[in-house]
Amino acid sequence: MALLQDLIQQIDDPILRERILQETDKLIEQKKFGLVFEEHLPECTPLYSMPIRVGSKVALKTGYVSDIYTVLRIDGDNTICDRRETHEQKTFRLDEIVVVAEFGEPIYPTLTPIDAVENAPDSDLWHTLIEADNYHALQLLEYLYAGKVDCIYIDPPYNTGAKDWKYNNDYVDGNDQYRHSKWLSMMEKRLRLAKKLLNPTDSVLIATIDEKEYLHLGCLLEEIFKEAKIQMISAMTNKKGSTRPGQFSRAGEYFFYVFMGNHTIEQVNDNMLLSNDEDDESEQTITIWNSLLRRGTAALRSDRPNLFYPIYVDKETHKILYVGDSLALEENRNNIPWPSTLPSSAVICWPLRKNNVEGRWQVGQDTLRKRMAEHRVKAGQFNATTQQCSIVMLKDKQMEQIENGLLEILGTDDSGAYVVAQKTGDFDSVQNPRTIWVRDRHDASVYGSTMLRNIIGGQKFTFPKSLYAVHDCINFSLKSKTHALILDFFSGSGTTLHAVNLLNAEDGGHRRCIMVTNNEVSADEATALTAQGYQPGDEEWEKLGIARYVNWPRTVCSIEGHDINGNPLSGNYFGSDIPMSDGFKANAAFFKLSFLDKTSVALGKQFAELLPVLWMKGRAIGKCPVLNTEELPPMLLLPENKMAVLIDETFYSEFDNEIRKYSEIQTIFIVTDSETAYREMIRNYDGKDCYQLYRDYLDNFRINTGR
């Protein structure tokens, strides 16, 4: 019904439009049961890389993308266009309009390289970021990985009406009788494609949502994934709560798990399920060690002056040498005398917060000295930026866990502190994660917004997920699947790839992540850019979009271990001894989804442009190859990518001889128009993945349309 209403809105005659709307309202004044929602006009996508020709369907770059014109004539820099709905002819400059693709039309996508980061040249593991409308990206991914994805994690727009980003977080249509229709219509299209990507025998889809749409998303998942097992997790993601006037403050969200086939949740050590201490929002050396620096409320020197005192540490051995006495509030810390007995390698550690604001320790010096004697305190690595060492301790809660057998003491280190680990081999301490998660590390304010701001600066993205919430979501499903393929097609700020890299660093895994996000700018920035004369597609506009302004910079910085200004990231990742400044032994490639001309592809004129797609279909092994010559070679042997392409079939004998030399090649592409010849050529390649070009590619996108 909403499709009809969308069409009615395009009627220029206001009296006729109102009359027809009144009649359609009568038709829909009937009670509905279950998840019934109104379909909308199919989505349209601007194709900025496609040339404008006579006959092209176009829209204004700054207009409504579904307000479509047909190009009748091109006269220099101007075009004469016919508006589809009214047949009114208008003249536009070429730089004012863009070619559009309507939902259901065959499209022929490819990937245009934008950038790459390589921090593990000896590794063949490459992650990918695709800048695209995610519906068309999912169509491409269906061609590449149908039935091969192990985990899909998505954090879709919550339909709150927010316009911080134009990532269409406002899917409510004023014409809808049912206010959730447009959002549901958008999600349904994408989830149906997502289902085709998942391994039907063993995979999981994880979707996060809040109370605005969780009921409707749950019903939609039940409808699309009828054969799957579905559970919903409740998680605290904002301890302070998001204030809503006259309502309860929202402190949590919901995570839907959709289990395909035989997929099950991994069992975990029991203390992974415990809530962290409320005072502890710090980065820790390992899970059970807590920062001595006070966080949260009453955390300044002026709040508890007697808890401001120096701790002297040998920066080379990390041994605590001496604990000084507390300073009076009026005393300047820079004026205290230096103990003459300390070695030259000693440094002084103060309870300093960000920007050198004077904080305070959690316990007094006498208590600290007592805990040192009990092997409960130690110093971390020396930080060259702050010129200090972090100080951590075992709290009473951890001592109780030692007594209860959840933790065990393995001995003492060189500084005299306990070496403590989670106890293993105890059946009672291993169980399935529970359906209610209350963990400090899942706080999106501290480990989402603050962490992202520390990496790329400024408030460039609102409400990113906690890194550790996403890490745990994936870890509970893929802990033992160290070579899993993970997809996030609402990737926003890039948390998912960050979490996958952290998980790989923890257990030596080889999990691969594909992220998809559009490159929309925020509503405010769009207004400012338009006022300056810029339009979507202009470089000044594009560089401020989500993909290029937030996601990719975060990806590069987290992999290389520095912030956007090149300064080393400080601290360790929560729950591990992995320094953030070490980065990750990982590689990632950044692509923009582009579109090709079907005829040119069929004639073999766009092989170079298709090469990144072939690389991804060959499981994205090694660095994406680039063809730097206009003249195509008869064959392309890429053992470092474990793939090969026969471009000229008359060279098959030579190609076959070369293939036999490289046992590592697992993916083979054959360019031929003959199905019979193709079958004959691949007869000796049992156990390898073989594809016929360009028929395999063209047929896929010609047939799989109108879905």
Side-chain angles (χ1 to χ4, degrees), residues 12-30:
D12 289 333
D13 187 331
I15 298 175
L16 178 60
R17 182 172 64 244
E18 184 60 28
R19 285 283 306 276
I20 296 177
L21 280 172
Q22 289 174 3
E23 294 303 315
T24 55
D25 286 344
K26 294 177 183 178
L27 293 175
I28 57 180
E29 286 179 357
Q30 52 184 313

Side-chain angles (χ1 to χ4, degrees), residues 638-688:
L638 303 166
E640 64 276 17
N641 303 117
K642 299 185 180 180
M643 59 181 277
V645 188
L646 176 60
I647 300 173
D648 185 342
E649 61 184 304
T650 63
F651 283 79
Y652 171 72
S653 295
E654 294 88 338
F655 179 76
D656 186 55
N657 289 333
E658 290 297 318
I659 289 291
R660 297 177 191 279
K661 298 178 184 178
Y662 300 102
S663 60
E664 63 267 35
I665 289 179
Q666 295 299 312
T667 305
I668 296 174
F669 299 94
I670 305 288
V671 178
T672 178
D673 293 330
S674 170
E675 175 74 16
T676 302
Y678 169 71
R679 293 297 170 192
E680 180 68 19
M681 283 187 279
I682 67 170
R683 70 189 188 282
N684 295 324
Y685 300 147
D686 289 342
K688 300 183 187 295

Side-chain angles (χ1 to χ4, degrees), residues 83-101:
R83 189 182 181 201
R84 172 188 290 178
E85 300 303 330
T86 64
H87 293 295
E88 176 188 5
Q89 291 191 9
K90 289 195 173 183
T91 300
F92 302 115
R93 295 195 316 273
L94 276 170
D95 61 2
E96 290 182 308
I97 56 178
V98 60
V99 175
V100 296

